[in-house]
Amino acid sequence: METNTKDNMSTGGFSTPPSYFNDLETRVQQRISVSTKHWILRYKYALSAAATCAIVLSVWLLQAETTLAIPQMQQVDYTAYVNDNIEDFNDDEVTDACIANNSVASNDSEYEAYSNYLLDDNIDENTLIDEL
Amino acid sequence: MGQWTDQDLLDKFRNSETKNYGFNLLMQQYKQRVYWHVRRMVIDHDDADDLTQDVFVKIWLALDQFKEDSKLFTWIYRIATNECISFLNKKRKRFFIPIINIENQLLHSLESGIHYSGDEIQLKLQKAILTLPEKQRLVFNMKYFDELKYEEIAEITGTSVGALKASFHLASKKIEEYIGRD
């Protein structure tokens, strides 16, 4: 039994096992390293989940950006190209290209109505180019 | 071993190269005060040992955030006091022990005599202290055994000096009555 440097009165009569205070620091340091490991373990799964979510989100955003950006770029490039090289196209080619382009986006009935409009109203090429 | 000032200890702890050394110095300086403070509250040595280690782990984790708006030892005492109160509350909840019986359990630990070397008068004093409500017991221990000033106890417990004086006075009266009974 030891009561250490404090006198027996101030300890209230309590005592400790022999040399109890001598290695208290070592035991506390051990507990600190264990508790730090526990902290890392406790948050390991949460950190893994967060990292996975971040990766999935990044990939998704990258894909979304690529998917959205390409048609816009194509549209801009196409328009700029046509504007820059308008002299190189003859009127028939432009008309055919426009009809072909619109036919991709339009459904069959729209295409048919468009064809009928051109044929029935006897639209000349200049009017058509102006309208387009 | 000389006493280190709060600033010395904090400077050493906050320097990454001397952090462990600073913390060891802090433990050397405060380990006994913390242990005896805890021991008088929880009575059993094994519980006190466990809680003392917990207190120092908490100090290690929180010392970087210590704002120095109080003395280091009152901050440490506050952590130790909170640990003791939490421990006793947990014990009550875990075993569904009504408030009155936890003191009986502590009394049983005291009477078992394990790691107790006090004489008959000291034992009687400890038994008398165990009859007090937890807060009074805390205040009485800090005033009587640790000889802390009311201002320091007020900082630790977050209670006004006036309330502490009243609490200590009441506790002393009850202890006198208990001891004077036989």
Side-chain angles (χ1 to χ4, degrees):
Chain A
M1 297 277 189
E2 70 169 3
T3 53
N4 255 283
T5 53
K6 287 200 127 199
D7 59 40
N8 196 260
M9 188 59 208
S10 64
T11 63
F14 293 108
S15 57
T16 62
S19 310
Y20 167 71
F21 287 109
N22 293 351
D23 61 347
L24 184 60
E25 288 96 327
T26 313
R27 283 180 290 123
V28 170
Q29 291 286 8
Q30 281 168 353
R31 193 178 279 213
I32 286 169
S33 69
V34 168
S35 89
T36 311
K37 278 177 194 164
H38 279 182
W39 186 87
I40 293 166
L41 282 174
R42 195 186 304 159
Y43 291 103
K44 190 176 79 176
Y45 296 110
L47 287 171
S48 307
T52 309
C53 286
I55 291 166
V56 168
L57 194 65
S58 306
V59 170
W60 182 80
L61 281 173
L62 193 68
Q63 275 185 337
E65 195 173 302
T66 310
T67 316
L68 289 170
I70 287 170
Q72 279 182 333
M73 286 296 289
Q74 283 177 337
Q75 184 68 31
V76 169
D77 287 349
Y78 174 77
T79 310
Y81 179 76
V82 171
N83 287 336
D84 291 346
N85 301 283
I86 193 72
E87 295 84 11
D88 297 340
F89 295 98
N90 65 41
D91 295 341
D92 292 337
E93 279 176 337
V94 174
T95 311
D96 288 347
C98 288
I99 290 168
N101 190 40
N102 283 346
S103 72
V104 173
S106 307
N107 57 33
D108 289 344
S109 60
E110 279 176 308
Y111 179 71
E112 201 176 319
Y114 188 63
S115 302
N116 288 339
Y117 164 70
L118 291 174
L119 294 169
D120 296 347
D121 293 6
N122 201 18
I123 304 294
D124 63 62
E125 288 169 355
N126 290 331
T127 310
L128 180 62
I129 289 167
D130 288 341
E131 284 186 358
L132 289 171
Chain B
M1 184 183 63
Q3 286 275 307
W4 295 84
T5 64
D6 286 3
Q7 204 51 56
D8 287 338
L9 294 171
L10 289 170
D11 288 346
K12 283 186 171 53
F13 184 82
R14 283 168 183 164
N15 181 340
S16 57
E17 286 176 12
T18 55
K19 185 170 179 145
N20 283 325
Y21 174 61
F23 189 68
N24 267 322
L25 291 178
L26 182 143
M27 276 197 283
Q28 280 170 26
Q29 191 146 308
Y30 291 111
K31 63 184 175 184
Q32 292 197 31
R33 292 180 81 171
V34 169
Y35 172 82
W36 293 120
H37 176 60
V38 171
R39 178 75 190 272
R40 282 190 294 264
M41 285 304 291
V42 301
I43 307 296
D44 181 69
H45 165 73
D46 291 332
D47 290 338
D49 175 39
D50 210 33
L51 283 173
T52 303
Q53 291 185 46
D54 282 347
V55 168
F56 281 109
V57 171
K58 290 206 166 161
I59 292 169
W60 168 268
L61 295 172
L63 195 56
D64 278 326
Q65 280 88 51
F66 175 59
K67 292 187 183 91
E68 297 177 56
D69 48 8
S70 62
K71 285 183 196 164
L72 186 59
F73 96 89
T74 56
W75 182 74
I76 291 171
Y77 257 69
R78 194 156 62 229
I79 294 174
T81 302
N82 289 339
E83 281 294 304
C84 290
I85 292 169
S86 300
F87 171 81
L88 293 172
N89 287 341
K90 267 186 209 161
K91 210 167 186 177
R92 281 187 193 110
K93 282 178 190 163
R94 197 184 306 150
F95 300 110
F96 302 102
I97 301 168
I99 288 169
I100 198 153
N101 283 341
I102 187 86
E103 275 69 34
N104 285 344
Q105 204 189 34
L106 296 179
L107 188 65
H108 179 73
S109 297
L110 184 67
E111 284 174 336
S112 71
I114 301 168
H115 303 307
Y116 192 81
S117 59
D119 56 27
E120 209 174 309
I121 297 165
Q122 284 175 317
L123 183 63
K124 196 161 188 182
L125 175 62
Q126 285 301 329
K127 284 181 180 177
I129 294 169
L130 278 177
T131 64
L132 301 173
E134 195 172 275
K135 189 78 183 282
Q136 278 182 21
R137 197 153 68 88
L138 189 66
V139 174
F140 184 85
N141 282 338
M142 284 195 275
K143 187 72 192 149
Y144 185 77
F145 292 110
D146 292 325
E147 296 173 341
L148 298 183
K149 293 174 190 159
Y150 282 118
E151 288 75 16
E152 291 168 333
I153 301 173
E155 226 172 81
I156 294 162
T157 57
T159 315
S160 70
V161 170
L164 288 173
K165 283 180 180 172
S167 187
F168 183 71
H169 178 75
L170 265 175
S172 305
K173 281 273 174 205
K174 284 182 192 172
I175 288 167
E176 272 175 31
E177 276 174 29
Y178 183 92
I179 290 172
R181 241 183 259 166
D182 299 328

